[in-house]
Amino acid sequence: MTKKILILPGDGIGPEIVAQAEKVLAFLIEERGVKLELEHGLLGGCAVDAAGVPLPEETLAKAKESDAILLGSVGGPKWETIERSLRPERGLLAIRAGLGLFANLRPAVLFPELASASTLRADVVSGLDIMIVRELTGGIYFGEPRGIRELDDGQRQGFNTLVYSESEIERIARVAFESAEKRQGRLCSVDKANVLEATELWREVVTELSKEYPKVELQHMYVDNAAMQLVRDPKQFDVIVTSNLFGDILSDLASMLTGSIGMLPSASLASDGSGMYEPIHGSAPDIANQNVANPLATILSLSMLFRYSLENAEIAVQIEQAVSQVLSDGLRTKDIDAEGMTSVGTDEMGDAVVKALSSIN
Ligand code: NAD
C-alpha cells in the first residue's frame, strides 16, 4: 500500500538538510520500488511569510492525511520580534497538539567513529545508547494560565503553569516502559518530586504503572541529579522518561555526549502510530545557505520514520548502516570534523549516504 509522507522543510538550514533526506527517499522510490507518495507543505517562518500564520490550515489538513511527516526545523531572527502567537515555534507547538503527538522519542546513540568528537572522554561515552522519552503536548509549555501581566506596583510579571493529569502521565510512561522492554529493560523516570506537586503525581503514576511491567527495572531520579549523572556516567541509562520541559533540556545535554547536535534524530508519535520526524536541532540561522550543515540527524530521522510509522525496520536499518558507512569512510561535515578526516558539505554528505545505501542489499 502506498504510504503518504508530508515534507515540511521549514526555515534556516531546514530546506538544505531536508533536501538530503529527499535524495534518500528518491533513491528508495526509484531504485528500490518503495511505494511512497510525497507531498510538501509550509510550517514556521516560511509559512508566516507566505500565508500569514506559522501553521496554515492547509498544512494541518495535509498532515492529518499523512502516515508520517518529515520536518526540517523552524524559526530564525527574522520572526523573533513578531507577535508571539505568530512566531514559528508556535506553529510547531500547534502541529504537535493538532496531531496529538504526545510522545517524543530521542535516541542519543554514539557512532563509534565519533567517539573523539564528544567533549567527554571517549571511555565515558563509547557504546552510549540512551533513549529519552519526552512528554510533548502537556506540562509547562502548554499549561494555562500563561502570559505576562502587570502587577499593582506597575512592574511586569511572567507566569506559566505546570500541569499534568494522570492520563497524560500514564500514556507517556507506557511508551517508555514498552521501549525499555524492547531494549535493556531499565527505565529511569526523571522528576522534581521533592519540590513540584505536578511531578510528585508523576512519580506516583509511574510507580503504579510499573506493576504492569515486571520485567522493567524502574528507578526515579530528580532532574538536577539526572543532569549531573548524564555527564558523569551516561552509560548507566537505558530509557529515560520525563516531562516536556525537563526532556527538552536533558535531550540537548545528551546530544552533546554524542559529539554533535547535528547527529541526533527524533520521533514524535501519536497514539495511532502516525508521527512527525525531525532532527533535534533548530534552524541554525548562523550557518544557513552555506552548505555546511550536517544532514545526518535529518537522514536518521527518516530512518526512525520508516521504523515507527511505516513499520519497515529493514529500510530503517539500511539507512542507519549507510550513515555508519559514510562515517567509517571518514566523511565529516564541519561540526564533527577532525584531523585526518575528509571535510564535506551538506550536499556531498547527502550524496555519500545515497551511494552507501545503494551498496547495501
Ligand atoms: P540551533 O539548534 O539552531 O543551533 C545551535 C548551534 O548548533 C548553532 O551553532 C548551530 O550552527 C549548530 N547546529 C545546529 N544544527 C546543526 C547542524 N545540523 N549541523 C551543524 N551545526 C548545527 O539552536 P538555536 O541557535 O538556539 O536556535 C535557532 C533557531 O531555531 C531559533 O529560532 C529557535 O527557536 C529554533 N529552534 C527550532 C527547533 C525546531 O524546529 N524543532 C528546535 C530548537 C530551536
Side-chain angles (χ1 to χ4, degrees):
M1 205 178 86
T2 303
K3 300 278 188 178
K4 274 191 188 175
I5 300 180
L6 175 63
I7 297 171
L8 304 172
D11 311 313
I13 59 169
E16 298 165 63
I17 51 178
V18 165
Q20 309 315 313
E22 287 199 65
K23 288 178 186 169
V24 173
L25 282 168
F27 170 81
L28 292 169
I29 294 168
E30 288 157 23
E31 305 294 328
R32 292 281 159 86
V34 178
K35 290 196 166 47
L36 296 174
E37 193 184 313
L38 308 183
E39 271 221 77
H40 290 79
L42 295 172
L43 179 77
C46 58
V48 173
D49 290 349
V53 286
L55 174 60
E57 272 174 30
E58 191 191 344
T59 301
L60 185 60
K62 279 185 191 171
K64 285 182 175 165
E65 284 169 15
S66 306
D67 296 292
I69 300 161
L70 182 69
L71 169 66
S73 49
V74 302
K78 185 178 174 192
W79 305 281
E80 265 165 22
T81 48
I82 62 173
E83 191 200 315
R84 204 170 288 117
S85 65
L86 294 180
R87 290 188 196 159
E89 293 74 10
R90 285 298 175 100
L92 195 55
L93 294 183
I95 196 166
R96 286 174 183 164
L99 299 175
L101 303 175
F102 71 94
N104 187 216
L105 271 54
R106 292 183 171 205
V109 176
L110 184 82
F111 284 87
E113 297 83 3
L114 294 182
S116 60
S118 173
T119 45
L120 295 194
R121 282 199 325 265
D123 64 298
V124 176
V125 292
S126 58
L128 185 82
D129 181 358
I130 303 176
M131 176 66 84
I132 298 189
V133 179
R134 167 188 169 196
E135 201 289 326
L136 204 59
T137 51
I140 198 160
Y141 288 8
F142 289 89
E144 297 283 350
R146 62 189 295 158
I148 299 173
R149 61 191 164 204
E150 196 166 321
L151 299 178
D152 292 344
D153 65 2
Q155 67 165 321
R156 289 181 304 153
Q157 183 188 54
F159 59 101
N160 291 90
T161 305
L162 172 58
V163 56
Y164 271 117
S165 66
E166 287 179 293
S167 58
E168 281 176 309
I169 301 166
E170 193 188 308
R171 69 178 181 174
I172 190 70
R174 215 172 263 292
V175 171
F177 276 111
E178 279 165 19
S179 174
E181 269 184 336
K182 292 186 198 125
R183 293 170 48 98
Q184 296 165 41
R186 288 180 292 115
L187 175 62
C188 178
S189 173
V190 172
D191 61 40
K192 190 72 184 168
N194 51 342
V195 179
L196 301 170
E197 286 81 355
T199 71
E200 197 181 318
L201 180 69
W202 177 285
R203 189 175 280 219
E204 274 176 32
V205 173
V206 174
T207 304
E208 185 60 29
L209 192 64
S210 69
K211 292 177 190 155
E212 291 183 34
Y213 299 90
K215 290 196 188 118
V216 177
E217 184 191 318
L218 173 67
Q219 174 194 19
H220 299 280
M221 200 178 277
Y222 296 137
V223 63
D224 39 350
N225 186 23
M228 197 256 281
Q229 296 297 338
L230 270 169
V231 179
R232 195 186 70 83
D233 175 22
K235 283 188 275 184
Q236 70 182 282
F237 296 105
D238 177 19
V239 179
I240 291 176
V241 63
T242 191
S243 62
N244 207 342
L245 172 64
F246 297 161
D248 195 359
I249 298 165
L250 292 182
S251 56
D252 266 24
L253 193 162
S255 74
M256 267 323 290
L257 305 174
T258 69
S260 169
I261 200 166
M263 288 300 302
L264 291 187
S266 78
S268 304
L269 306 176
S271 42
D272 66 358
S274 64
M276 186 160 83
Y277 299 81
E278 57 181 309
I280 72 155
H281 58 73
S283 58
D286 54 329
I287 57 166
N289 303 315
Q290 295 172 27
N291 194 35
V292 296
N294 185 346
L296 296 180
T298 313
I299 292 173
L300 290 167
S301 299
L302 187 62
S303 158
M304 290 188 89
L305 183 154
F306 275 97
R307 176 169 284 119
Y308 290 100
S309 287
L310 306 190
E311 288 173 15
N312 193 333
E314 197 185 334
I315 287 182
V317 169
Q318 289 181 1
I319 295 173
E320 285 158 11
Q321 285 172 343
V323 169
S324 258
Q325 185 61 50
V326 297
L327 294 173
S328 298
D329 292 345
L331 302 192
R332 298 285 188 275
T333 43
K334 209 172 162 188
D335 55 311
I336 50 173
D337 209 358
E339 229 182 288
M341 298 294 145
T342 309
S343 307
V344 293
T346 311
D347 260 331
E348 288 166 281
M349 188 58 111
D351 293 339
V353 173
V354 173
K355 191 164 168 241
L357 191 58
S358 68
S359 65
I360 297 170
N361 289 309

